[in-house]
Amino acid sequence: QVQLVESGGGLVQAGGSLRLSCAASGRTSLIYAMGWFRQAPGKEREFVAATSWSGGTTLYADSVKGRFTISSDNAKNTVYLQMNSLKPEDTAEYYCALKKGPPARARYEYASWGHGTQVTVSS
């Protein structure tokens, strides 16, 4: 079992930046890829970004490409999501998740999830 804990969310003005962290504990040798998803009120949970645990392969949603960067620090068992040029439409609860195999966009492929961290972007 792997436990995931997100942190780093908060309130920021449009155009600002935040860095989210996802710390993994437990049987981290089972991790192959990590993803970030987000869910706004009344909307479905959507893919944001994903990375292989080594960081060699990354995927991004079109809506965040060029603004968000996902990275991993294996020594700290932590994955980060650097979010720049934030927009009000980025407001959501952000979740990290892990899966076996390569990074993917489909949320059903992810086996374990954190509890989320709230990001609010004011206009």
Side-chain angles (χ1 to χ4, degrees):
Q1 290 280 22
V2 179
Q3 293 76 44
L4 304 175
V5 178
E6 303 96 334
S7 62
L11 174 64
V12 64
Q13 288 188 332
S17 298
L18 282 174
R19 188 177 80 158
L20 306 184
S21 300
C22 175
S25 61
R27 298 181 65 186
T28 55
S29 61
L30 298 178
I31 299 175
Y32 292 87
M34 297 286 290
W36 283 98
F37 291 76
R38 66 187 182 186
Q39 188 167 17
K43 295 187 177 181
E44 291 190 356
R45 192 169 298 187
E46 65 176 3
F47 170 76
V48 176
T51 181
S52 57
W53 194 228
S54 67
T57 302
T58 56
L59 300 173
Y60 293 94
D62 288 344
S63 59
V64 306
K65 199 173 295 183
R67 300 188 298 123
F68 291 10
T69 303
I70 190 170
S71 61
S72 61
D73 184 336
N74 292 2
K76 296 182 179 180
N77 290 330
T78 300
V79 172
Y80 303 98
L81 185 68
Q82 178 66 44
M83 306 186 296
N84 298 328
S85 302
L86 282 162
K87 304 175 181 180
E89 51 262 45
D90 294 318
T91 295
E93 189 84 6
Y94 282 70
Y95 300 87
C96 67
L98 67 85
K99 67 180 299 290
K100 294 182 179 179
R105 291 181 169 86
R107 65 176 189 258
Y108 69 84
E109 294 198 35
Y110 289 78
S112 297
W113 294 79
H115 292 292
T117 185
Q118 177 68 36
V119 171
T120 303
V121 184
S122 63
S123 57

